[in-house]
Amino acid sequence: DVPAWLKSLRLHKYAALFSQMTYEEMMALTECQLEAQNVTKGARHKIVISIQKLKERQNLLKSLERDILEGGNLRVPLQELHQMILTPIKAYSSQ
């Protein structure tokens, strides 16, 4: 849910920009492309950082799993998972 993700970043005014993009296009966005779309410098930076976090999501999940299995505190993994729920996730396709 990209609009909810953007709202969580306080960037919901850019939802229309993302509405016509595929997940792959969104994940490949650069600051230059965002600048060409008249996205402010601060918002561009925030969006690019957030997309990088999306790209690192699999490694984060593996790390959280390892921490939990090793008997670590559940508070941090649960907080991370809560934040992750707000991020866009590519729809599963069995093809």
Side-chain angles (χ1 to χ4, degrees):
D1 187 10
V2 175
W5 170 63
L6 291 170
K7 188 171 184 175
S8 76
L9 297 173
R10 295 191 171 141
L11 297 171
H12 49 282
K13 75 178 192 176
Y14 297 108
L17 172 67
F18 287 83
S19 67
Q20 301 301 316
M21 288 185 197
T22 65
Y23 184 82
E24 288 78 13
E25 290 169 335
M26 182 188 75
M27 295 299 284
L29 271 176
T30 65
E31 283 203 44
C32 291
Q33 291 170 312
L34 292 168
E35 184 177 16
Q37 295 294 322
N38 299 317
V39 176
T40 64
K41 184 177 182 177
R44 288 193 309 262
H45 185 68
K46 199 172 191 179
I47 290 168
V48 169
I49 287 173
S50 296
I51 289 172
Q52 185 58 41
K53 287 182 180 180
L54 293 177
K55 292 176 182 178
E56 296 168 357
R57 184 171 35 205
Q58 183 177 6
N59 290 334
L60 176 60
L61 284 169
K62 288 178 183 179
S63 174
L64 293 174
E65 178 185 36
R66 191 171 41 254
D67 290 349
I68 291 169
L69 292 175
E70 291 174 357
N73 186 333
L74 289 179
R75 176 177 225 131
V76 172
L78 288 174
Q79 289 172 336
E80 290 285 347
L81 289 170
H82 179 359
Q83 288 301 312
M84 200 176 293
I85 288 170
L86 299 174
T87 64
I89 298 173
K90 185 177 179 181
Y92 173 76
S93 175
S94 61
Q95 293 158 325

